Amino acid sequence: MKITRFLLRDFITKGELFHLARVKIFSTDDISLHNHDYAEIFWIEHGNGTHLINGLNTPLNTGDIIMMRPDDLHTFSSNRQGITMMNLAFPFKTVQYFKKRYFPESEDFFWKKGDLPYQATLDETILRSITHLAEKMWKHQDSAIYLDSFLLSLFKLLLPTENQPDNQDIPAWLNNAIQLFPAQPDLFRLGARGFASICGRNIDYVNRTVRKCYDKTLSTLVTELRMQFAARQLAITNAPIKSICHDCGFNNLGHFYKQFQTIYQQTPSQYREQHQRMS
């Protein structure tokens, strides 16, 4: 079988830093056996098939995510329904930077030793969240900020300590949603319904679980998470408070102030002044 080396420059245009695509694969005729001069992450959104990787055949199913090292040699096969996947290609120097800064002792992710690259299976909630984050950066393939932000979010979700709930009585899907919700302000306006959509469960069931685990209503939890987002924006940006209020999903500035003061015992203006004061 002919082997091809894929080059990142053949997938990106001038000014772009990474390539993001959604592809559907039916057979090895769709993508030739290849390696790359870049790092690659792909995850399976729908379908199942086989990953032909470094001379081995491994199954692929919905939710599987794989981090490909440049010299990994691979292609795919599938049944008649095909495999739909998201694929992210980016310079390997980015991986080297992350290794040095965040994972100096790691032998996981892109730094895994052995014949097979890193592979994990995501639950439905995390799979949707990663796809959502990827789709948000689709139009920003010239931005290192969007790439780094996505990778940091992904690594954080995949770290073993992050996937384990702090309290074993709290289901993992709820812990994951609490981590993901503050990073998706487009859901804030939907309030409890937006939070439940991340959970992938009925809103009444989510509310009952939140009451059981945290002794508070889902509405209260969502308000706290929105205020955490507001506090972060007040501390690290100069965005007008009215804009932050709107981004948090509030139509009434007075109500926003009241909710913020209830949690932080300060007005938003006082909080910003304290946290942006030069030492």
PDB file of all heavy atoms in Angstrom, residues 34-50:
ATOM      1  N   HIS A  34      -1.061   7.093   5.686  1.00  0.00           N
ATOM      2  CA  HIS A  34      -0.241   8.298   5.746  1.00  0.00           C
ATOM      3  C   HIS A  34       0.312   8.557   7.142  1.00  0.00           C
ATOM      4  O   HIS A  34      -0.172   8.026   8.131  1.00  0.00           O
ATOM      5  CB  HIS A  34      -1.073   9.503   5.304  1.00  0.00           C
ATOM      6  CG  HIS A  34      -2.196   9.833   6.258  1.00  0.00           C
ATOM      7  ND1 HIS A  34      -3.401   9.171   6.233  1.00  0.00           N
ATOM      8  CD2 HIS A  34      -2.275  10.736   7.279  1.00  0.00           C
ATOM      9  CE1 HIS A  34      -4.191   9.655   7.191  1.00  0.00           C
ATOM     10  NE2 HIS A  34      -3.530  10.601   7.845  1.00  0.00           N
ATOM     11  N   ASN A  35       1.332   9.406   7.197  1.00  0.00           N
ATOM     12  CA  ASN A  35       1.761  10.053   8.432  1.00  0.00           C
ATOM     13  C   ASN A  35       1.769  11.557   8.169  1.00  0.00           C
ATOM     14  O   ASN A  35       1.246  12.005   7.159  1.00  0.00           O
ATOM     15  CB  ASN A  35       3.119   9.514   8.917  1.00  0.00           C
ATOM     16  CG  ASN A  35       4.196   9.592   7.858  1.00  0.00           C
ATOM     17  OD1 ASN A  35       4.113  10.386   6.912  1.00  0.00           O
ATOM     18  ND2 ASN A  35       5.219   8.760   7.993  1.00  0.00           N
ATOM     19  N   HIS A  36       2.346  12.349   9.079  1.00  0.00           N
ATOM     20  CA  HIS A  36       2.229  13.801   8.922  1.00  0.00           C
ATOM     21  C   HIS A  36       3.488  14.522   9.377  1.00  0.00           C
ATOM     22  O   HIS A  36       4.366  13.907  10.003  1.00  0.00           O
ATOM     23  CB  HIS A  36       1.081  14.373   9.763  1.00  0.00           C
ATOM     24  CG  HIS A  36       0.044  13.395  10.209  1.00  0.00           C
ATOM     25  ND1 HIS A  36       0.202  12.572  11.294  1.00  0.00           N
ATOM     26  CD2 HIS A  36      -1.180  13.115   9.712  1.00  0.00           C
ATOM     27  CE1 HIS A  36      -0.873  11.830  11.444  1.00  0.00           C
ATOM     28  NE2 HIS A  36      -1.725  12.120  10.503  1.00  0.00           N
ATOM     29  N   ASP A  37       3.526  15.824   9.122  1.00  0.00           N
ATOM     30  CA  ASP A  37       4.564  16.667   9.721  1.00  0.00           C
ATOM     31  C   ASP A  37       3.941  17.564  10.793  1.00  0.00           C
ATOM     32  O   ASP A  37       4.492  18.603  11.143  1.00  0.00           O
ATOM     33  CB  ASP A  37       5.276  17.513   8.652  1.00  0.00           C
ATOM     34  CG  ASP A  37       4.402  18.622   8.074  1.00  0.00           C
ATOM     35  OD1 ASP A  37       3.158  18.579   8.266  1.00  0.00           O
ATOM     36  OD2 ASP A  37       4.960  19.551   7.443  1.00  0.00           O
ATOM     37  N   TYR A  38       2.798  17.147  11.344  1.00  0.00           N
ATOM     38  CA  TYR A  38       2.060  17.955  12.311  1.00  0.00           C
ATOM     39  C   TYR A  38       1.430  17.043  13.362  1.00  0.00           C
ATOM     40  O   TYR A  38       1.427  15.822  13.239  1.00  0.00           O
ATOM     41  CB  TYR A  38       0.972  18.772  11.611  1.00  0.00           C
ATOM     42  CG  TYR A  38       0.068  17.974  10.699  1.00  0.00           C
ATOM     43  CD1 TYR A  38      -1.044  17.296  11.200  1.00  0.00           C
ATOM     44  CD2 TYR A  38       0.323  17.896   9.335  1.00  0.00           C
ATOM     45  CE1 TYR A  38      -1.869  16.559  10.373  1.00  0.00           C
ATOM     46  CE2 TYR A  38      -0.493  17.168   8.481  1.00  0.00           C
ATOM     47  CZ  TYR A  38      -1.592  16.499   9.008  1.00  0.00           C
ATOM     48  OH  TYR A  38      -2.409  15.768   8.177  1.00  0.00           O
ATOM     49  N   ALA A  39       0.918  17.675  14.394  1.00  0.00           N
ATOM     50  CA  ALA A  39       0.141  16.943  15.403  1.00  0.00           C
ATOM     51  C   ALA A  39      -1.318  16.922  14.964  1.00  0.00           C
ATOM     52  O   ALA A  39      -1.803  17.856  14.317  1.00  0.00           O
ATOM     53  CB  ALA A  39       0.277  17.626  16.759  1.00  0.00           C
ATOM     54  N   GLU A  40      -2.023  15.863  15.338  1.00  0.00           N
ATOM     55  CA  GLU A  40      -3.417  15.714  14.919  1.00  0.00           C
ATOM     56  C   GLU A  40      -4.250  15.142  16.066  1.00  0.00           C
ATOM     57  O   GLU A  40      -3.804  14.241  16.776  1.00  0.00           O
ATOM     58  CB  GLU A  40      -3.498  14.778  13.716  1.00  0.00           C
ATOM     59  CG  GLU A  40      -4.911  14.491  13.243  1.00  0.00           C
ATOM     60  CD  GLU A  40      -4.964  13.443  12.143  1.00  0.00           C
ATOM     61  OE1 GLU A  40      -3.991  12.668  12.003  1.00  0.00           O
ATOM     62  OE2 GLU A  40      -5.976  13.392  11.434  1.00  0.00           O
ATOM     63  N   ILE A  41      -5.422  15.706  16.233  1.00  0.00           N
ATOM     64  CA  ILE A  41      -6.419  15.162  17.152  1.00  0.00           C
ATOM     65  C   ILE A  41      -7.681  14.890  16.344  1.00  0.00           C
ATOM     66  O   ILE A  41      -8.111  15.732  15.561  1.00  0.00           O
ATOM     67  CB  ILE A  41      -6.759  16.149  18.286  1.00  0.00           C
ATOM     68  CG1 ILE A  41      -5.521  16.516  19.101  1.00  0.00           C
ATOM     69  CG2 ILE A  41      -7.832  15.565  19.210  1.00  0.00           C
ATOM     70  CD1 ILE A  41      -5.765  17.610  20.115  1.00  0.00           C
ATOM     71  N   PHE A  42      -8.263  13.721  16.513  1.00  0.00           N
ATOM     72  CA  PHE A  42      -9.572  13.498  15.904  1.00  0.00           C
ATOM     73  C   PHE A  42     -10.464  12.759  16.896  1.00  0.00           C
ATOM     74  O   PHE A  42      -9.984  12.025  17.758  1.00  0.00           O
ATOM     75  CB  PHE A  42      -9.464  12.752  14.563  1.00  0.00           C
ATOM     76  CG  PHE A  42      -9.000  11.330  14.652  1.00  0.00           C
ATOM     77  CD1 PHE A  42      -9.906  10.297  14.871  1.00  0.00           C
ATOM     78  CD2 PHE A  42      -7.660  11.004  14.490  1.00  0.00           C
ATOM     79  CE1 PHE A  42      -9.493   8.969  14.940  1.00  0.00           C
ATOM     80  CE2 PHE A  42      -7.227   9.686  14.553  1.00  0.00           C
ATOM     81  CZ  PHE A  42      -8.142   8.665  14.776  1.00  0.00           C
ATOM     82  N   TRP A  43     -11.756  12.999  16.775  1.00  0.00           N
ATOM     83  CA  TRP A  43     -12.718  12.298  17.618  1.00  0.00           C
ATOM     84  C   TRP A  43     -13.917  11.892  16.783  1.00  0.00           C
ATOM     85  O   TRP A  43     -14.290  12.554  15.816  1.00  0.00           O
ATOM     86  CB  TRP A  43     -13.127  13.131  18.826  1.00  0.00           C
ATOM     87  CG  TRP A  43     -13.725  14.471  18.560  1.00  0.00           C
ATOM     88  CD1 TRP A  43     -15.051  14.800  18.512  1.00  0.00           C
ATOM     89  CD2 TRP A  43     -13.001  15.698  18.324  1.00  0.00           C
ATOM     90  NE1 TRP A  43     -15.205  16.147  18.261  1.00  0.00           N
ATOM     91  CE2 TRP A  43     -13.974  16.717  18.153  1.00  0.00           C
ATOM     92  CE3 TRP A  43     -11.649  16.042  18.252  1.00  0.00           C
ATOM     93  CZ2 TRP A  43     -13.611  18.049  17.901  1.00  0.00           C
ATOM     94  CZ3 TRP A  43     -11.297  17.359  18.000  1.00  0.00           C
ATOM     95  CH2 TRP A  43     -12.277  18.339  17.839  1.00  0.00           C
ATOM     96  N   ILE A  44     -14.493  10.742  17.158  1.00  0.00           N
ATOM     97  CA  ILE A  44     -15.573  10.144  16.378  1.00  0.00           C
ATOM     98  C   ILE A  44     -16.913  10.669  16.883  1.00  0.00           C
ATOM     99  O   ILE A  44     -17.282  10.459  18.042  1.00  0.00           O
ATOM    100  CB  ILE A  44     -15.544   8.602  16.487  1.00  0.00           C
ATOM    101  CG1 ILE A  44     -14.140   8.065  16.167  1.00  0.00           C
ATOM    102  CG2 ILE A  44     -16.589   7.997  15.563  1.00  0.00           C
ATOM    103  CD1 ILE A  44     -13.615   8.431  14.807  1.00  0.00           C
ATOM    104  N   GLU A  45     -17.624  11.362  16.019  1.00  0.00           N
ATOM    105  CA  GLU A  45     -18.940  11.900  16.380  1.00  0.00           C
ATOM    106  C   GLU A  45     -20.046  10.865  16.177  1.00  0.00           C
ATOM    107  O   GLU A  45     -20.982  10.790  16.978  1.00  0.00           O
ATOM    108  CB  GLU A  45     -19.241  13.142  15.541  1.00  0.00           C
ATOM    109  CG  GLU A  45     -18.330  14.314  15.830  1.00  0.00           C
ATOM    110  CD  GLU A  45     -18.738  15.542  15.059  1.00  0.00           C
ATOM    111  OE1 GLU A  45     -18.715  15.508  13.803  1.00  0.00           O
ATOM    112  OE2 GLU A  45     -19.101  16.547  15.708  1.00  0.00           O
ATOM    113  N   HIS A  46     -19.937  10.107  15.096  1.00  0.00           N
ATOM    114  CA  HIS A  46     -20.959   9.090  14.791  1.00  0.00           C
ATOM    115  C   HIS A  46     -20.291   7.921  14.076  1.00  0.00           C
ATOM    116  O   HIS A  46     -19.340   8.095  13.322  1.00  0.00           O
ATOM    117  CB  HIS A  46     -22.063   9.658  13.888  1.00  0.00           C
ATOM    118  CG  HIS A  46     -22.727  10.877  14.422  1.00  0.00           C
ATOM    119  ND1 HIS A  46     -23.600  10.853  15.485  1.00  0.00           N
ATOM    120  CD2 HIS A  46     -22.629  12.173  14.029  1.00  0.00           C
ATOM    121  CE1 HIS A  46     -24.015  12.078  15.734  1.00  0.00           C
ATOM    122  NE2 HIS A  46     -23.452  12.894  14.870  1.00  0.00           N
ATOM    123  N   GLY A  47     -20.836   6.741  14.310  1.00  0.00           N
ATOM    124  CA  GLY A  47     -20.407   5.570  13.558  1.00  0.00           C
ATOM    125  C   GLY A  47     -19.315   4.775  14.253  1.00  0.00           C
ATOM    126  O   GLY A  47     -18.859   5.105  15.340  1.00  0.00           O
ATOM    127  N   ASN A  48     -18.915   3.706  13.577  1.00  0.00           N
ATOM    128  CA  ASN A  48     -17.840   2.871  14.103  1.00  0.00           C
ATOM    129  C   ASN A  48     -17.100   2.232  12.931  1.00  0.00           C
ATOM    130  O   ASN A  48     -17.605   2.174  11.812  1.00  0.00           O
ATOM    131  CB  ASN A  48     -18.369   1.807  15.058  1.00  0.00           C
ATOM    132  CG  ASN A  48     -19.454   0.952  14.430  1.00  0.00           C
ATOM    133  OD1 ASN A  48     -19.191   0.124  13.573  1.00  0.00           O
ATOM    134  ND2 ASN A  48     -20.696   1.166  14.850  1.00  0.00           N
ATOM    135  N   GLY A  49     -15.907   1.791  13.211  1.00  0.00           N
ATOM    136  CA  GLY A  49     -15.090   1.196  12.164  1.00  0.00           C
ATOM    137  C   GLY A  49     -13.772   0.733  12.743  1.00  0.00           C
ATOM    138  O   GLY A  49     -13.692   0.348  13.906  1.00  0.00           O
ATOM    139  N   THR A  50     -12.735   0.811  11.925  1.00  0.00           N
ATOM    140  CA  THR A  50     -11.422   0.314  12.324  1.00  0.00           C
ATOM    141  C   THR A  50     -10.361   1.367  12.027  1.00  0.00           C
ATOM    142  O   THR A  50     -10.371   2.001  10.962  1.00  0.00           O
ATOM    143  CB  THR A  50     -11.078  -0.982  11.571  1.00  0.00           C
ATOM    144  OG1 THR A  50     -12.080  -1.962  11.861  1.00  0.00           O
ATOM    145  CG2 THR A  50      -9.726  -1.512  11.996  1.00  0.00           C
TER     146      THR A  50
END
